[in-house]
Amino acid sequence: MTTPSFIKILASRRMLVALVMGFASGLPLLLTLYVLQAWMKEEGVDLTVIGLMALVGLPYTLKFLWAPVLDRYTIPLFGRRRGWLLIAQTALMLAIIGLSATNPAQSPWMVALAAFWVTFFSASQDIVIDAYRREDLADEELGLGSSLYINGYRTSMLLASGGGLIMADHIPFSMVYLIMAACLLPGILTTLLTPEPDTPKGTPQTLQEAIVQPFVEYFSRPEAIWVLAFILFYKIGDAMASTMTTPFYLDIAFSKTE
């Protein structure tokens, strides 16, 4: 591939959409982990409660349960992918705004409820973005498009975690969450402006086709159980440790900026 053609592909609408969608997908993740841990620790919430807050991330693990519904049904006006994406992104922004209005010291369980809705709509957004990216990009564009998606994802994670904690040293956490909610607007605007991808062949026409048949097909493969076990266990140590990392750093006198 020549340099001019590569630059043309890199600057195309599809690649820009992949980058912005990655940014929108990565932003909410650490708002319900490290940033929320720091907020609750600063408000004097018990460490046991902070540790239990890791459970609000379950929608990221269980999103396969409702992904077939988003694949099966089409939202009028905006299309099969853009319709669900617009709903998820709008609800996600409202959920983050709702989280900003909670008080961890007085009602930690209301914080947990608001954080759960953030992760639920964030996971739903991830479902549709993955499907949209696969249908929008040609096969030969998937590598570059996926790398741009990951770069957008990592950039927004840095903004939400490092940027959020640095801002929290100067402004209230509630204001930090409002700023982060506003950072989702480029994703919503992109969803409104980008076209709906062509419906691929094999689109499920019934819930049985959307839910039952994929499971039957997967578990008919050899060693399917061991693949699932690997996915479950290979990061379990990191996942368990990360639930208490931020309170530990704050306990040993690191500032949020540090």
Side-chain angles (χ1 to χ4, degrees):
M1 182 184 296
T2 63
T3 300
S5 62
F6 174 77
I7 293 175
K8 183 178 179 181
I9 293 174
L10 190 64
S12 67
R13 189 272 312 166
R14 293 185 298 277
M15 296 302 164
L16 180 60
V17 168
L19 179 66
V20 176
M21 293 298 188
F23 183 88
S25 188
L27 188 74
L29 179 61
L30 299 186
L31 293 179
T32 53
L33 287 174
Y34 303 126
V35 180
L36 188 57
Q37 289 171 13
W39 190 10
M40 299 184 79
K41 175 64 178 175
E42 188 175 85
E43 294 291 328
V45 177
D46 185 76
L47 286 177
T48 302
V49 176
I50 296 176
L52 288 172
M53 288 295 292
L55 293 175
V56 303
L58 278 176
Y60 290 117
T61 304
L62 302 177
K63 60 185 178 182
F64 69 92
L65 293 175
W66 67 93
V69 176
L70 307 188
D71 194 39
R72 166 65 183 88
Y73 294 105
T74 300
I75 301 299
L77 299 179
F78 291 100
R80 181 162 165 256
R81 302 304 183 201
R82 291 171 63 244
W84 284 116
L85 191 52
L86 190 60
I87 290 173
Q89 290 175 325
T90 303
L92 174 59
M93 186 170 69
L94 293 175
I96 294 175
I97 293 172
L99 181 56
S100 75
T102 59
N103 188 320
Q106 295 181 2
S107 53
W109 302 115
M110 285 299 296
V111 176
L113 180 61
F116 171 81
W117 286 118
V118 171
T119 59
F120 176 81
F121 291 120
S122 176
S124 300
Q125 176 186 234
D126 292 348
I127 292 167
V128 189
I129 285 177
D130 287 344
Y132 182 93
R133 188 173 75 254
R134 182 60 190 93
E135 294 171 2
D136 191 44
L137 296 174
D139 289 350
E140 61 273 13
E141 296 174 331
L142 277 175
L144 181 59
S146 295
S147 69
L148 287 171
Y149 171 85
I150 293 298
N151 274 277
Y153 194 100
R154 293 296 181 181
T155 300
S156 65
M157 287 179 69
L158 285 172
L159 173 65
S161 59
L165 289 173
I166 290 170
M167 285 190 289
D169 263 338
H170 306 282
I171 60 176
F173 272 101
S174 57
M175 185 62 67
V176 172
Y177 277 88
L178 287 175
I179 292 172
M180 293 303 163
C183 289
L184 291 172
L185 289 173
I188 295 176
L189 184 62
T190 300
T191 301
L192 289 170
L193 295 178
T194 195
E196 176 75 9
D198 294 332
T199 301
K201 295 180 180 179
T203 299
Q205 301 301 312
T206 65
L207 281 179
Q208 181 178 358
E209 290 180 17
I211 299 174
V212 178
Q213 291 182 8
F215 279 100
V216 172
E217 190 276 333
Y218 175 78
F219 284 106
S220 67
R221 303 180 185 188
E223 313 296 343
I225 294 293
W226 291 112
V227 173
L228 287 180
F230 173 76
I231 292 171
L232 176 63
F233 288 113
Y234 92 109
K235 289 273 285 182
I236 194 169
D238 289 351
M240 293 177 68
S242 66
T243 62
M244 299 304 291
T245 302
T246 301
F248 172 71
Y249 288 148
L250 294 174
D251 267 339
I252 58 176
F254 280 98
S255 71
K256 293 187 286 294
T257 297
E258 288 167 334

